[in-house]
Amino acid sequence: MVRSCLDKFFTTAAVFLVCMASAAAADEGKVDCLVLNEGGSLSVNIDHEAYPLYISRGTAHRVPRKERVPFDTGIRVIELDIGTRAFSLDTDARQIALSGPKEANISGIDTERWGSITYPAIYMDRDCRLVLIGRANQSAVIRVNPLARVTIDARKFVTPEITIMGNSRANVITRDGTDVSFYDDIIQKRVVVTSGWFGGAPSTPPAPPNSTPTPPPPGMTPDGSAQPGDAGAPTQ
């Protein structure tokens, strides 16, 4: 009975793996942003040569992207709802958005700069403990929802600087020689309601007449789904 259940589980995972790998091979270019929803413990390996997306364990289904979402313009986004507690994958996505998992492990990082102010490498939307493993020779940039309680364990992540955007209360544990800086950019307040999140009043003074309004920052979508970084040129 147990063997039968395990066989069924891995068969389901394998079928999904083949489908996603085939879809990835058909599309040109890298995944600009990978959004991972729910799941208990996620393991993500940054693989710059294998596939844009390669599921190795667990199940998930792809979430159709809404048409004409402003930050999606000109970038390729794949959003997955995780269907199992333990989930692992290889990806070459330039940005990873975590929206729901309690724990996440991202390994295989090997780059000069991992993310930028305009295009953070990671966006953490909800409470989560994140472990980073790898190297960024100059810096790494991570955006955190201002209302999220997160811990980022970077003791196995070699980089001279980590910049946290949007949440100065994020708990960051680093190795010796790594500086952590916090960048409080212009954000919108959000209010919790029973049906989800909705945008509140801007935290900055009203703009003068005839001025160009400031667009909402990453992570501030009305329906509460993860919104990653700006659609500027990604930095690896």
Side-chain angles (χ1 to χ4, degrees):
M1 180 66 178
V2 174
R3 183 183 181 89
S4 176
C5 292
L6 288 175
D7 289 343
K8 183 177 180 181
F9 170 80
F10 286 109
T11 298
T12 302
V15 170
F16 182 72
L17 182 154
V18 172
C19 292
M20 293 306 298
S22 299
D27 293 331
E28 294 182 359
K30 292 185 176 181
V31 176
D32 291 305
C33 179
L34 176 62
V35 181
L36 301 175
N37 300 323
E38 303 308 326
S41 178
L42 305 185
S43 177
V44 181
N45 179 57
I46 306 296
D47 191 330
H48 302 283
E49 297 181 0
Y51 294 94
L53 186 67
Y54 188 90
I55 310 300
S56 57
R57 179 185 178 189
T59 59
H61 69 271
R62 187 165 178 171
V63 180
R65 301 298 297 173
K66 295 181 179 179
E67 294 184 2
R68 299 180 181 177
V69 176
F71 76 89
D72 276 3
T73 303
I75 65 174
R76 182 168 171 242
V77 181
I78 291 180
E79 181 173 350
L80 300 178
D81 277 354
I82 309 304
T84 50
R85 175 171 176 78
F87 185 83
S88 63
L89 62 85
D90 293 347
T91 182
D92 66 354
R94 302 179 184 186
Q95 183 185 66
I96 298 171
L98 303 174
S99 182
K102 300 299 182 185
E103 299 179 1
N105 181 308
I106 298 178
S107 60
I109 307 161
D110 186 8
T111 185
E112 192 68 18
R113 288 190 180 92
W114 198 40
S116 65
I117 295 297
T118 57
Y119 204 93
I122 302 175
Y123 172 62
M124 302 178 71
D125 187 45
R126 303 181 185 178
D127 298 358
C128 181
R129 185 178 190 276
L130 173 65
V131 177
L132 299 177
I133 302 174
R135 175 188 299 273
N137 293 333
Q138 294 192 24
S139 62
V141 181
I142 300 171
R143 178 181 287 279
V144 180
N145 185 312
L147 299 180
R149 293 177 295 180
V150 305
T151 295
I152 300 172
D153 186 343
R155 288 175 291 184
K156 296 181 180 180
F157 182 47
V158 181
T159 187
E161 181 182 11
I162 296 175
T163 299
I164 306 297
M165 299 175 59
N167 189 329
S168 59
R169 296 169 298 167
N171 181 26
V172 185
I173 307 170
T174 64
R175 57 190 290 134
D176 291 342
T178 299
D179 294 328
V180 179
S181 58
F182 296 90
Y183 178 76
D184 289 326
D185 54 351
I186 299 174
I187 61 173
Q188 282 185 314
K189 295 179 181 179
R190 297 205 301 181
V191 181
V192 181
V193 293
T194 55
S195 60
W197 298 99
F198 69 90
S203 58
T204 55
N210 302 323
S211 65
T212 302
T214 303
M220 303 294 126
T221 52
D223 61 359
S225 60
Q227 176 175 335
D230 299 333
T235 302
Q236 280 287 69

